[in-house]
Amino acid sequence: GNSVTQMEGPVTLSEEAFLTINCTYTATGYPSLFWYVQYPGEGLQLLLKATKADDKGSNKGFEATYRKETTSFHLEKGSVQVSDSAVYFCALSAYSGAGSYQLTFGKGTKLSVIP
Amino acid sequence: NAGVTQTPKFQVLKTGQSMTLQCAQDMNHNSMYWYRQDPGMGLRLIYYSASEGTTDKGEVPNGYNVSRLNKREFSLRLESAAPSQTSVYFCASSAEGGANYGYTFGSGTRLTVV
């Protein structure tokens, strides 16, 4: 079956530090890949996505590149801010039949950024 | 544009009580989903509805039932609540099955079963 593995947290960084959150996946076919962010007390919001190999998704200074050869989709940001403190989820979308695609999520990585 | 609306936001139940979690979307999406989120477990799919009139089990369906009332609404029912169902529940919807667009999530229902 499909699965997503992401680095365990929590991750604590100082403001302006470089961020990497590793994500690898197992899937049949050619899934689409996503990063979601969850701020405290809120639902998940789509942060960025990539739908085919070598695509780079980007948003709000975050980037991730779809690497088919290493089955990876690592999240990076060059300079984090306190407002980036949240839980980050890597996910893949794969066909589940009956015209529906299902998202499979990693377990989430909690990021705390300190001033 | 409200997106995905869940009610209630918080609920406390006694073991054995029943309740229905409501979800509605106003984006004309075909597919809708119910997830539960538990510490260290990520999000796990309970049930989904690929289109109006169809529902299917996800990874953890035991103890739950769902109804796709119409294209907008997808409810989750706990017939006899158990402490193991204490969790945060999220409803989500997607266009065209979600292949390239991902899902839009509601803000969640925090359920405690005592």
Side-chain angles (χ1 to χ4, degrees):
Chain A
N2 301 324
S3 67
V4 175
T5 303
Q6 62 182 103
M7 64 185 287
E8 295 188 15
V11 174
T12 302
L13 295 174
S14 298
E15 206 165 22
E16 299 184 3
F18 185 86
L19 169 71
T20 299
I21 301 177
N22 291 335
C23 172
T24 57
Y25 67 91
T26 302
T28 55
Y30 303 95
S32 296
L33 301 174
F34 304 85
W35 277 100
Y36 281 82
V37 59
Q38 184 180 31
Y39 299 104
E42 299 184 10
L44 278 72
Q45 302 174 24
L46 180 62
L47 179 61
L48 53 83
K49 66 178 183 181
T51 58
K52 61 182 186 295
D54 300 325
D55 268 2
K56 177 185 284 188
S58 61
N59 186 25
K60 298 181 181 179
F62 291 90
E63 294 183 340
T65 301
Y66 190 143
R67 300 289 187 196
K68 189 171 184 293
E69 64 276 12
T70 55
T71 62
S72 65
F73 193 55
H74 304 322
L75 182 68
E76 296 182 336
K77 186 175 186 182
S79 176
V80 293
Q81 305 300 312
V82 172
S83 58
D84 294 326
S85 297
V87 181
Y88 293 82
F89 292 91
C90 185
L92 67 83
S93 176
Y95 188 65
S96 62
S100 178
Y101 287 73
Q102 286 186 21
L103 278 183
T104 300
F105 288 89
K107 293 186 177 181
T109 302
K110 183 176 182 179
L111 171 66
S112 297
V113 180
I114 55 176
Chain B
N1 194 346
V4 177
T5 302
Q6 291 184 236
T7 56
K9 292 190 182 301
F10 302 93
Q11 184 71 48
V12 178
L13 289 179
K14 293 182 179 179
T15 298
Q17 287 186 318
S18 62
M19 79 161 295
T20 300
L21 281 64
Q22 307 287 351
C23 175
Q25 52 91 10
D26 61 2
M27 296 170 287
N28 202 36
H29 286 170
N30 285 327
S31 300
M32 297 185 73
Y33 310 83
W34 276 105
Y35 284 87
R36 60 178 288 172
Q37 182 179 28
D38 302 292
M41 301 293 291
L43 278 85
R44 294 181 291 172
L45 182 65
I46 305 171
Y47 271 93
Y48 67 100
S49 172
S51 60
E52 186 178 356
T54 69
T55 61
D56 285 286
K57 296 178 180 179
E59 180 184 357
V60 289
N62 290 344
Y64 305 95
N65 285 300
V66 291
S67 295
R68 184 74 183 266
L69 304 171
N70 47 56
K71 190 171 186 178
R72 291 186 64 248
E73 299 173 286
F74 187 40
S75 63
L76 178 72
R77 183 162 178 82
L78 286 70
E79 292 290 351
S80 179
S84 60
Q85 294 178 303
T86 294
S87 187
V88 182
Y89 292 85
F90 288 100
C91 177
S93 68
S94 66
E96 300 184 18
N100 296 325
Y101 304 98
Y103 297 176
T104 300
F105 282 83
S107 57
T109 296
R110 186 175 296 274
L111 175 67
T112 301
V113 183
V114 298

